């Protein structure tokens, strides 16, 4: 039975099914991406190992970065303010990063690709986007039925939509790259229709982070299409500029309260979070408080009495720079910069037809990391890995020009 499943004919179909589920059910259930990404990577790894009788090793650069991150975090755990929490989070992170790292094996990237990948997953993604748009427009009747409650929070759909936006970019890249071969006019029509389908749930969602990620990513894709080298060089500066955000957020809160009060409630809450996190960074700027400890840090000092929305310690800082700095100090910032620059370089090295969309996906991922999710979330890392894996499959299987 194992030899029947683990074959060069079956494994690409498995990878295809993995993405179809992510594009449909995953649009509603963002947490599902963790199981799909981690489980899918492990099964593909075991499958190709069984076929080739040789262990498929991950790419060296990503392997060094993943293991380096785990080693740095482990060392810093010994000075954590909450060692039990930090070691528990470290074990969880180990169980996420190592399986997802397996997606980076060149042989798996080349051989897991199904010839129907782009059209089938694109249709699935359009169906997922339109179904989610319908659900949001009707006030989430499906979610109410599942939870058995008359009122539900539509924010439960934010994560799935965010991940679907990431996946959209390799699908659009595949269309432009010739999967399947279409005339330029038909290709443009399909891409436009796909973007319109995404805009429906994006316009209805309560997630301003998802809206911002989609708009900025599409803009970056267009700019990179015309000026690829200049776009990559300018974007490479952005992670360095982001290092100043903790100080900038603190000064804005102190000196420009009139600006803060005009913000939407969700963004005003973020400003309050970023304000108190900036002071916790200053208290332990070199080595941080420990992996996974952000939710334990006090929020009252120095401006807790002025906060409108933050009345307890929050689950995470809603900003990757602040999270890396407050938890892992300067080593964490260095690792974050390396990851950002490495993935940007990988995006820019793709085929000219794919690279603009990969740069757009990079911008979307950075945007979501800067304003939305806990950076250590397993489903977020799975979405990153599955998006990158899709681009890698396209790159290694792109049609040869006639």
């Amino acid at each position: 039975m194992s030899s029947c499943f683990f074959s060069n004919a079956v494994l690409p179909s498995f990878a295809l099914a993995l993405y179809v589920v992510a594009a449909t059910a995953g649009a509603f259930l963002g947490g599902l991406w963790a199981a799909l990404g981690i489980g899918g990577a492990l099964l593909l790894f075991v499958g190709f190992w069984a076929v080739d009788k040789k262990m498929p090793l991950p790419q060296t650069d990503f392997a060094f970065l993943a293991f380096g991150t785990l080693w740095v975090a482990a060392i810093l755990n010994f000075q954590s303010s909450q060692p039990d929490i930090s070691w528990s989070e470290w074990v969880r992170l180990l169980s996420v990063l190592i399986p997802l790292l397996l997606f980076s094996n060149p042989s798996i990237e080349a051989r897991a690709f199904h010839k129907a990948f782009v059209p089938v997953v694109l249709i699935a993604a359009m169906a997922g986007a339109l179904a989610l748009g319908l659900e949001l427009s009707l006030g989430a009747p499906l979610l109410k039925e599942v939870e058995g409650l008359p009122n539900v929070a539509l924010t439960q759909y934010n994560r799935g939509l965010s991940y679907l936006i990431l996946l959209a970019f390799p699908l659009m890249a595949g269309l432009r790259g010739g999967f399947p071969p279409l005339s330029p006019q038909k290709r443009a029509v399909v891409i436009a229709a796909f973007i319109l389908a995404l805009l429906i749930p994006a316009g209805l969602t309560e997630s301003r982070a998802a809206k911002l990620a989609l708009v900025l990513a599409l803009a970056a894709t267009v700019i990179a299409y015309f000026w690829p080298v200049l776009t990559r060089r300018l974007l490479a500066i952005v992670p360095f500029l982001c290092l100043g955000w903790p100080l900038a957020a603190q000064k804005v809160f102190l000196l420009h309260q009139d600006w803060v009060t005009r913000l939407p409630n969700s963004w005003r809450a973020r400003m309050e979070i970023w304000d108190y996190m900036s002071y916790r960074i200053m208290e332990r700027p070199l080595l941080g408080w420990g992996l996974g400890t952000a939710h334990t840090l006090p929020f009252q000092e120095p401006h807790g009495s002025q906060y409108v929305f933050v009345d307890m310690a929050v689950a995470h800082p809603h900003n990757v720079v602040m999270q890396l700095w407050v938890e892992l100090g300067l080593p964490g910032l260095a690792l974050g910069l390396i990851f950002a620059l490495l993935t940007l370089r990988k995006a820019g090295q793709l085929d000219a037809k794919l690279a603009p969309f990969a740069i757009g996906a990079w911008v979307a991922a950075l945007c979501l990391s800067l304003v939305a999710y806990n950076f250590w979330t397993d489903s977020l890392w799975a979405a990153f890995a599955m998006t990158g894996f899709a681009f890698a499959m396209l790159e290694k299987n792109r049609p040869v020009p006639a």
Side-chain angles (χ1 to χ4, degrees):
M1 182 173 179
S2 61
S3 60
C4 177
F5 178 80
F6 295 139
S7 70
N8 284 319
V10 173
L11 288 171
S13 297
F14 169 73
L16 174 64
L18 198 72
Y19 280 87
V20 168
V21 175
T24 51
F28 289 79
L29 303 170
L32 180 62
W33 285 71
L36 293 173
I38 295 171
L42 286 171
L43 283 172
L44 287 173
F45 170 77
V46 171
F48 283 108
W49 190 356
V51 170
D52 296 340
K53 312 301 181 185
K54 180 181 178 182
M55 182 184 295
L57 299 175
Q59 290 184 33
T60 304
D61 44 13
F62 282 122
F64 272 118
L65 183 56
F67 284 107
T69 299
L70 291 168
W71 273 109
V72 167
I75 293 170
L76 292 175
N77 281 353
F78 289 102
Q79 60 86 55
S80 171
S81 62
Q82 302 282 341
D84 291 344
I85 292 176
S86 293
W87 281 113
S88 175
E89 186 72 358
W90 187 88
V91 172
R92 193 190 64 80
L93 192 60
L94 174 72
S95 70
V96 172
L97 293 184
I98 301 308
L100 293 177
L101 182 63
L102 303 175
F103 272 130
S104 70
N105 175 263
S107 177
I108 294 178
E109 292 171 345
R111 296 159 59 197
F113 183 75
H114 194 287
K115 62 181 181 180
F117 178 85
V118 172
V120 170
V121 180
L122 186 138
I123 291 171
M126 289 185 70
L130 292 173
L132 180 58
L134 180 62
E135 170 78 354
L136 291 171
S137 68
L138 296 176
L142 178 60
L143 186 60
K144 291 176 182 177
E145 180 67 25
V146 170
E147 295 198 352
L149 298 171
N151 297 304
V152 292
L154 298 183
T155 54
Q156 294 185 55
Y157 287 136
N158 291 357
R159 192 177 297 275
L161 175 59
S162 297
Y163 300 162
L164 184 62
I165 287 170
L166 290 176
L167 182 59
F169 285 85
L171 297 177
M172 291 187 287
L175 281 174
R176 184 164 184 263
F179 304 93
L182 296 173
S183 67
Q185 294 79 11
K186 289 182 179 179
R187 187 166 60 235
V189 169
V190 175
I191 291 176
F194 184 41
I195 292 173
L196 287 174
L198 286 174
L199 288 174
I200 294 174
L204 295 169
T205 182
E206 296 182 13
S207 173
R208 291 182 173 85
K211 298 176 194 285
L212 185 64
L214 178 58
V215 171
L216 291 181
L218 289 173
T221 300
V222 173
I223 296 170
Y225 176 83
F226 292 103
W227 301 285
V229 176
L230 177 62
T231 304
R232 291 198 303 272
R233 289 176 178 173
L234 291 176
L235 287 176
I237 301 172
V238 173
F240 292 96
L241 295 177
C242 291
L243 298 182
W245 181 239
L247 180 60
Q250 184 183 112
K251 295 303 180 185
V252 168
F253 191 87
L254 278 174
L255 304 176
H256 300 285
Q257 268 295 315
D258 55 327
W259 297 358
V260 176
T261 56
R262 294 194 189 105
L263 293 172
N265 291 347
S266 59
W267 289 90
R268 185 173 178 181
R270 283 173 170 80
M271 287 301 302
E272 295 173 357
I273 295 167
W274 296 334
D275 176 66
Y276 88 78
M277 284 291 177
S278 69
Y279 288 96
R280 304 295 83 82
I281 288 172
M282 291 181 175
E283 291 167 358
R284 298 183 68 166
L286 298 181
L287 301 179
W289 292 80
L291 182 66
T293 60
H295 71 282
T296 69
L297 302 180
F299 72 95
Q300 296 90 347
E301 296 296 331
H303 303 131
S305 61
Q306 300 178 37
Y307 297 161
V308 175
F309 297 99
V310 174
D311 56 4
M312 65 177 66
V314 296
H316 59 89
H318 290 77
N319 178 275
V320 62
V321 173
M322 289 205 172
Q323 185 163 7
L324 289 174
W325 201 344
V326 81
E327 293 186 358
L328 301 179
L330 295 182
L333 285 183
L335 290 167
L337 283 174
I338 293 170
F339 178 67
L341 297 177
L342 174 62
T343 49
L344 179 61
R345 181 171 67 85
K346 294 279 188 182
Q349 289 175 340
L350 295 177
D351 180 79
K353 292 183 178 180
L354 307 178
F357 296 93
I359 289 172
W362 184 90
V363 168
L366 180 64
C367 181
L368 293 172
S369 300
L370 286 172
V371 298
Y373 302 118
N374 182 343
F375 191 58
W376 308 125
T377 302
D378 50 7
S379 60
L380 180 66
W381 278 97
F384 288 166
M386 290 180 69
T387 301
F389 184 57
F391 276 113
M393 288 193 295
L394 293 171
E395 172 72 10
K396 288 181 170 57
N397 293 275
R398 63 184 187 271
V400 178

